[in-house]
């Protein structure tokens, strides 16, 4: 059984919601970000990654980008908060 | 890995540029400087994006670069270390001048440990010289340390020869027949002179020395050279014996099973035989042998005897040259041929100048 398929089955989420972007937390000591579209902000207290429909913010202390490549990044440090922002869609009445 | 260092301004924008170029970067920091690590394969791309960046190899690549940079210095240091080691130690020894006892001296020095690495301060030249003089019959032994080698120079004692008994009475006689060409008399009285024909066993130098009217017995000693002829001969036939069929024949037949056969023989002394095999058994290999015997009679035919003579001459020359004693000086070689009872006798003569004198104890 594939990992993605297993997650979709387990969480009962749609596959297209799981695959494009993923944040994996290693307790509060680090995180792996998959499917990002680049870095918007970066310092020791926070890192903001762009994604397809918004951004994801990692807030903490002593944050470092240990490795980064197109689509994948590893962040080390004490992570306190992860915020997922979604771009609002304009709805025409 | 290569460490890339840039100014700390616009770290985010620079990270974006890396990502857009598809570069995988590690350990990104943006404090006093923006730095990151990339693999060497990304180096050209990073150079093109950040021409102002500083690059520094880390890990084993840094070690390689350091060695390349400091290779000459490292080599010099190594050379100094090796030179110092060679100036402090000896690695072996050499023995010169020894003939009879070279192996024994080498074995002794190996046993004392001079064949292995040892400090120069532990090499006591005087002690080695003394022990060598005591252990071996040497006239002189000199030991010096040259470079990293213990150089041993020895001179062995000469073996005393037997004293020559000049009172022994002996004559010098001839060992060959010949004609004296020159003679060197060291002691005694010469009885022949240049041009004298001498026979084998003839006394050439007498064991007496005449001083005034007194004749004293001495040990005759002389070298007498003479022209000596060495001869050899060979006969060559002018005809050769061949066998031809006379015309008389006899026939016989017998049976042959496997290799067993009772072969018949004809009444001829010399014959040729022609056999014909006919298989008679279908299962067993049984053959009927039909033989025809042809009588052979000897007959003489002329041969190229002149060519045979030339071959014989060369063979005789080689044979005579082998008979020459050591130091002989060849003077002439010639052959004579004569016919005896239809055969050619080749007589070869090799003339050479040799020493014919030999000493025998005199009786008078």
């Amino acid at each position: 059984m594939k990992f993605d398929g297993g997650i979709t089955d387990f969480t009962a989420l749609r596959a297209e919601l799981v695959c494009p972007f993923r944040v994996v937390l290693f307790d509060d000591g680090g995180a792996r970000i998959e499917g990002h579209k680049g870095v918007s902000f970066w310092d020791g207290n926070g890192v903001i990654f762009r994604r397809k429909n918004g951004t994801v913010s990692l807030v903490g202390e002593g944050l470092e980008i240990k490795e980064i490549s197109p689509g994948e990044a590893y962040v080390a440090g004490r992570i306190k908060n992860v915020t997922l922002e979604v771009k609002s869609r304009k709805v025409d009445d | 890995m290569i460490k890339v260092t840039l100014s700390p301004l616009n770290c985010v924008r620079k990270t974006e540029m890396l990502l857009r170029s598809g570069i995988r970067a590690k350990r990104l920091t943006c404090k006093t400087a923006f730095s990151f690590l990339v693999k060497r394969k990304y180096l050209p791309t990073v150079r093109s994006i950040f021409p102002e960046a500083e690059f520094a190899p880390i890990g084993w690549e840094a070690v390689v670069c350091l060695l390349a940079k400091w290779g000459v210095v490292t080599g010099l240091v190594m050379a100094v270390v090796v030179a110092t080691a060679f100036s402090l130690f000896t690695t072996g020894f050499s023995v010169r001048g020894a003939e009879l006892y070279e192996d024994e001296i080498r074995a002794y020095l190996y046993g004392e440990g001079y064949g292995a690495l040892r400090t120069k301060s532990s090499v006591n030249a005087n002690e080695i010289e003394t022990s060598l003089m005591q252990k071996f019959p040497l006239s002189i032994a000199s030991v010096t340390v040259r470079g990293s080698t213990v150089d041993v120079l020895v001179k062995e004692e000469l073996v005393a020869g037997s004293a020559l008994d000049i009172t022994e009475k002996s004559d010098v006689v001839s060992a060959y027949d010949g004609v004296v060409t020159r003679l060197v008399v060291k002691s005694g009285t010469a009885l022949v002179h240049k041009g004298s024909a001498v026979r084998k066993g003839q006394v050439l130098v007498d064991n007496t020395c005449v001083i005034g009217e007194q004749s004293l017995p001495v040990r005759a000693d002389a070298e007498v050279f003479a022209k000596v002829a060495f001869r050899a001969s060979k006969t060559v036939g002018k005809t050769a014996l061949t066998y031809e069929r006379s015309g008389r024949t006899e026939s016989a037949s017998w049976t042959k099973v496997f290799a067993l056969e009772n072969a018949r023989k004809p009444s001829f002394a010399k014959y040729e035989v022609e056999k014909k095999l006919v298989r008679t058994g279908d299962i067993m290999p049984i053959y009927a042998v039909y033989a025809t015997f042809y009588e052979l009679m000897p007959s003489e035919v002329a041969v190229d005897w002149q060519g045979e003579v030339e071959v014989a001459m060369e063979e005789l020359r080689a044979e005579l040259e082998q008979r020459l004693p050591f130091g002989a000086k060849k003077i002439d070689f010639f052959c004579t041929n004569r016919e005896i009872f239809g055969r050619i006798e080749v007589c070869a003569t090799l003339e050479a100048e040799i020493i014919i004198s030999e000493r025998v104890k005199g009786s008078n």
Side-chain angles (χ1 to χ4, degrees):
Chain A
M1 180 186 291
K2 288 185 178 178
F3 177 77
D4 291 347
I7 288 292
T8 18
D9 293 343
F10 183 73
T11 58
L13 295 172
R14 285 180 296 161
E16 60 267 25
L17 291 176
V18 175
C19 293
F21 185 78
R22 186 181 302 155
V23 178
V24 180
L25 288 172
F26 302 105
D27 201 356
D28 64 343
R32 187 177 77 195
I33 299 93
E34 298 175 19
H36 69 82
K37 298 294 180 183
V39 181
S40 299
F41 176 79
W42 166 38
D43 71 358
N45 296 320
V47 184
I48 299 174
F49 289 98
R50 289 196 304 278
R51 62 188 190 93
K52 192 175 180 182
N53 295 322
T55 61
V56 60
S57 305
L58 305 179
V59 179
E61 292 175 359
L63 298 184
E64 294 177 359
I65 299 177
K66 285 293 181 187
E67 186 170 339
I68 189 166
S69 63
E72 191 178 15
Y74 290 85
V75 176
R78 192 179 173 196
I79 297 172
K80 292 181 178 176
N81 186 15
V82 180
T83 307
L84 198 66
E85 292 183 14
V86 182
K87 284 181 183 176
S88 58
R89 290 181 182 175
K90 290 182 180 179
V91 179
D92 296 333
D93 293 331
Chain B
M1 300 291 284
I2 307 294
K3 185 177 183 180
V4 184
T5 308
L6 292 158
S7 69
L9 299 174
N10 297 323
C11 292
V12 173
R13 190 174 65 84
K14 289 169 182 170
T15 308
E16 283 289 305
M17 292 169 72
L18 284 176
L19 293 175
R20 261 187 253 124
S21 302
I23 293 171
R24 177 183 288 266
K26 289 184 177 181
R27 297 186 200 174
L28 286 81
T29 58
C30 189
K31 292 174 183 172
T32 55
F34 175 57
S35 65
F36 55 90
L37 305 180
V38 290
K39 288 185 177 176
R40 183 169 282 278
K41 65 178 183 179
Y42 294 122
L43 197 56
T45 314
V46 177
R47 275 185 199 279
S48 62
I49 301 169
F50 308 117
E52 73 281 5
E54 294 178 6
F55 302 92
I58 63 166
W60 65 268
E61 290 188 3
V63 175
V64 171
C65 290
L66 194 68
L67 282 177
K69 188 176 180 180
W70 294 94
V72 177
V73 178
T74 310
L76 287 173
V77 171
M78 293 285 285
V80 169
V81 170
V82 171
T84 307
F86 272 90
S87 66
L88 293 176
F89 297 96
T90 61
T91 57
F93 62 85
S94 67
V95 178
R96 295 185 294 133
E99 293 174 359
L100 296 175
Y101 300 102
E102 182 168 355
D103 293 339
E104 287 84 351
I105 292 171
R106 285 184 180 279
Y108 169 71
L109 292 173
Y110 270 117
E112 293 293 313
Y114 291 103
L117 191 73
R118 62 186 296 167
T119 58
K120 286 185 179 178
S121 59
S122 67
V123 178
N124 189 338
N126 292 331
E127 189 181 328
I128 299 171
E129 289 172 3
T130 308
S131 59
L132 284 175
M133 292 289 285
Q134 287 174 350
K135 290 182 181 298
F136 303 101
L138 304 176
S139 300
I140 188 171
S142 169
V143 178
T144 53
V145 178
R146 292 187 177 183
S148 61
T149 306
V150 179
D151 187 33
V152 180
L153 175 64
V154 296
K155 199 69 184 173
E156 294 164 359
E157 286 181 347
L158 294 174
V159 180
S162 57
L164 190 66
D165 183 11
I166 58 170
T167 61
E168 177 196 10
K169 293 201 298 181
S170 62
D171 294 327
V172 171
V173 301
S174 173
Y176 296 89
D177 296 342
V179 177
V180 176
T181 53
R182 54 198 168 108
L183 68 165
V184 180
V185 180
K186 298 170 186 172
S187 62
T189 304
L191 302 180
V192 294
H193 52 84
K194 182 179 176 182
S196 300
V198 295
R199 306 285 293 179
K200 183 178 180 180
Q202 180 180 340
V203 178
L204 304 173
V205 179
D206 191 24
N207 60 3
T208 56
C209 182
V210 179
I211 301 173
E213 296 178 354
Q214 197 175 6
S215 178
L216 299 173
V218 293
R219 180 178 181 277
D221 190 8
E223 283 186 353
V224 181
F225 295 81
K227 186 168 78 174
V228 177
F230 294 87
R231 294 188 178 86
S233 64
K234 215 169 198 179
T235 56
V236 175
K238 293 176 75 174
T239 58
L241 204 61
T242 61
Y243 289 90
E244 293 177 354
R245 290 183 182 181
S246 64
R248 291 176 61 202
T249 60
E250 286 183 9
S251 297
S253 61
W254 59 88
T255 307
K256 179 182 178 183
V257 181
F258 292 108
L260 300 173
E261 60 179 331
N262 183 22
R264 307 289 166 76
K265 289 189 176 178
S267 59
F268 308 140
K270 197 84 177 175
Y271 61 89
E272 282 180 346
V273 62
E274 289 178 1
K275 289 180 182 177
K276 184 182 175 185
L277 286 173
V278 178
R279 182 164 183 160
T280 57
D282 292 334
I283 301 172
M284 294 288 285
I286 302 172
Y287 294 91
V289 182
Y290 298 96
T292 306
F293 300 98
Y294 298 91
E295 187 188 32
L296 297 178
M297 294 297 287
S299 63
E300 286 188 345
V301 293
V303 295
D304 178 22
W305 61 272
Q306 291 175 336
E308 294 286 324
V309 166
E310 288 181 5
V311 172
M313 284 166 61
E314 289 305 316
E315 288 174 357
L316 290 170
R317 176 197 282 271
E319 180 190 333
L320 291 174
E321 284 178 353
Q322 282 188 346
R323 281 165 55 186
L324 288 180
F326 179 75
K329 182 181 170 186
K330 284 183 277 188
I331 299 173
D332 194 10
F333 174 78
F334 55 90
C335 291
T336 55
N337 304 333
R338 58 179 178 175
E339 188 171 345
I340 302 174
F341 302 117
R343 295 179 66 80
I344 305 295
E345 186 186 36
V346 182
C347 298
T349 304
L350 177 63
E351 290 183 342
E353 186 186 53
I354 61 172
I355 297 175
I356 61 167
S357 51
E358 66 178 7
R359 185 184 298 112
V360 293
K361 288 187 178 179
S363 57
N364 53 341

